[in-house]
Amino acid sequence: MEWCDKSPKVKRWGSESFTIPYTHPIKGTRSRYYPDGIVWMDRGPNTKTEKYVIEIKPDAQTRAPKVSKRKKQKTVLYEQVQWAINQAKWETAVGWCKKRGMTFLILTEKHLGL
């Protein structure tokens, strides 16, 4: 968020300022997804302001979890459930954003240089 404050291209931004409804893949119920942020950016003269919905995750959580004999079964199950939930959120967010002329981005520590 510090980058948003300092970048002259960022016109405005918000943190967890709205929800996207999605279907919880385990419970089958309607749930609310709170993306980490939204950013309005100018990409240059004579261009429209672009809107991005941002999710920030550790890089390891952006891929399907690996099953390992060293992991406890409880840990493997937890990781698989979290992966399924995140996939449902992200797939819904992509469609939600597309309908509104926005772009959904998942950023990791690799993108942020951390």
Side-chain angles (χ1 to χ4, degrees), residues 10-58:
V10 173
K11 295 305 165 197
R12 66 184 226 209
W13 65 273
S15 176
E16 293 185 351
S17 53
F18 65 97
T19 62
I20 298 174
Y22 75 103
T23 301
H24 194 286
I26 309 302
K27 299 176 186 175
T29 58
R30 294 297 284 167
S31 296
R32 289 185 230 156
Y33 167 40
Y34 295 85
D36 290 325
I38 184 167
V39 178
W40 288 262
M41 290 185 71
D42 277 344
R43 288 298 197 179
N46 305 320
T47 61
K48 285 177 39 177
T49 297
E50 294 183 29
K51 300 170 198 152
Y52 298 93
V53 173
I54 309 290
E55 180 66 22
I56 301 173
K57 284 284 185 214

Side-chain angles (χ1 to χ4, degrees), residues 65 67-82:
V67 178
S68 167
K69 291 181 181 181
R70 292 182 277 168
K71 289 183 183 178
K72 293 181 182 179
Q73 186 175 4
K74 186 177 178 180
T75 301
V76 170
L77 181 59
Y78 174 80
E79 289 175 349
Q80 290 173 336
V81 166
Q82 289 306 120

Side-chain angles (χ1 to χ4, degrees), residues 70-111:
R70 292 182 277 168
K71 289 183 183 178
K72 293 181 182 179
Q73 186 175 4
K74 186 177 178 180
T75 301
V76 170
L77 181 59
Y78 174 80
E79 289 175 349
Q80 290 173 336
V81 166
Q82 289 306 120
W83 175 248
I85 292 169
N86 283 337
Q87 284 296 109
K89 289 176 181 179
W90 300 341
E91 287 172 14
T92 302
V94 167
W96 188 92
C97 287
K98 190 173 186 175
K99 286 180 185 176
R100 290 159 178 83
M102 304 168 98
T103 302
F104 179 71
L105 296 174
I106 300 169
L107 302 178
T108 70
E109 69 276 9
K110 292 180 180 181
H111 298 103

